[in-house]
Amino acid sequence: MEQNLLFDTQFRLQNDNWKCVNCKREGNVLVSKSKVFGIEQELTISQLTKLYFRYSYRIKKGNIKLAYAGIQIGDKLLVNRKIPKLNIKQFISLVEDINETTIKVKIIFESKEEENIVELFEPILCDLRKLHRSTYIKIILDKIVKYVDGYAYRNNLGYCEVKPEIFNLLYDAVL
């Protein structure tokens, strides 16, 4: 059974888990007035592993030259790119070994025009070692890895990380 490590993969929550770069997000639609734009999500993985990342997209407006699927590890961005077609649902995927536990997953588009609209579907990030598929090639993974929803939650606390000093403040406020 697949497990999606990404958060809010159905794009229900507004700006909680996905960070927009040079665009704004309206549900699963990216609206941009820039030639390079996209969204990213920072994750902490429990162990070093091999990851499979895939998403589907449809270009609704604009002259998009390239679509990228990327995983950033430290200062290094590992990408796969594809030339998209207008108004046709397509996907792009990437398989990478990671050597750090904190990564950023990036969905990037490069356009020839300033105004662009792109619809996103079914982003999935899987730990291939947990799925016992770490030796499979990307073409096979594209066919056998099925999309499942990622977790969706809203952080009402306002902190990304609960540190001891924050916990003490919260504990004192309760008493």
Side-chain angles (χ1 to χ4, degrees):
M1 181 171 104
E2 282 79 30
Q3 178 186 6
N4 198 344
L5 301 174
L6 293 173
F7 295 106
D8 191 23
T9 59
Q10 291 187 325
F11 303 103
R12 288 186 214 135
L13 304 173
Q14 196 61 22
N15 298 329
D16 268 5
N17 299 296
W18 292 100
K19 178 184 173 191
C20 295
V21 179
N22 296 333
C23 66
K24 65 179 181 176
R25 187 170 64 83
E26 298 168 357
N28 68 328
V29 177
L30 299 181
V31 179
S32 172
K33 295 195 183 294
S34 178
K35 290 186 177 182
V36 178
F37 63 97
I39 58 174
E40 65 183 26
Q41 191 172 117
E42 186 170 350
L43 300 162
T44 301
I45 307 296
S46 61
Q47 61 188 4
L48 304 182
T49 187
K50 190 172 193 175
L51 296 176
Y52 172 73
F53 173 50
R54 180 183 72 216
Y55 69 92
S56 299
Y57 61 94
R58 180 181 295 131
I59 308 301
K60 301 298 270 184
K61 181 181 178 186
N63 190 357
I64 306 290
K65 293 190 299 188
L66 291 169
Y68 297 91
I71 297 176
Q72 183 176 346
I73 304 167
D75 293 336
K76 188 176 181 182
L77 180 61
L78 309 164
V79 297
N80 190 15
R81 64 184 179 170
K82 188 173 189 176
I83 299 171
K85 297 178 177 121
L86 185 65
N87 242 349
I88 296 174
K89 188 174 178 182
Q90 303 167 80
F91 74 91
I92 185 169
S93 61
L94 175 70
V95 176
E96 286 297 336
D97 281 309
I98 61 165
N99 56 7
E100 289 186 26
T101 56
T102 301
I103 64 165
K104 284 185 182 178
V105 174
K106 297 185 177 247
I107 296 173
I108 305 168
F109 296 95
E110 186 179 340
S111 176
K112 294 179 183 177
E113 299 176 1
E114 295 287 328
E115 292 187 26
N116 303 286
I117 299 174
V118 178
E119 197 172 7
L120 298 176
F121 310 95
E122 303 176 344
I124 185 165
L125 180 69
C126 293
D127 182 345
L128 294 176
R129 293 209 172 107
K130 281 188 180 176
L131 296 176
H132 305 291
R133 295 179 178 158
S134 60
T135 58
Y136 287 34
I137 60 174
K138 187 173 79 70
I139 296 168
I140 302 297
L141 291 169
D142 291 340
K143 294 178 183 177
I144 64 171
V145 174
K146 304 297 180 206
Y147 170 78
V148 292
D149 290 342
Y151 296 104
Y153 71 92
R154 183 177 307 277
N155 183 0
N156 291 330
L157 185 58
Y159 302 106
C160 294
E161 188 177 346
V162 179
K163 297 180 181 176
E165 53 271 5
I166 295 171
F167 179 74
N168 291 336
L169 273 170
L170 293 172
Y171 182 75
D172 292 340
V174 171
L175 295 179

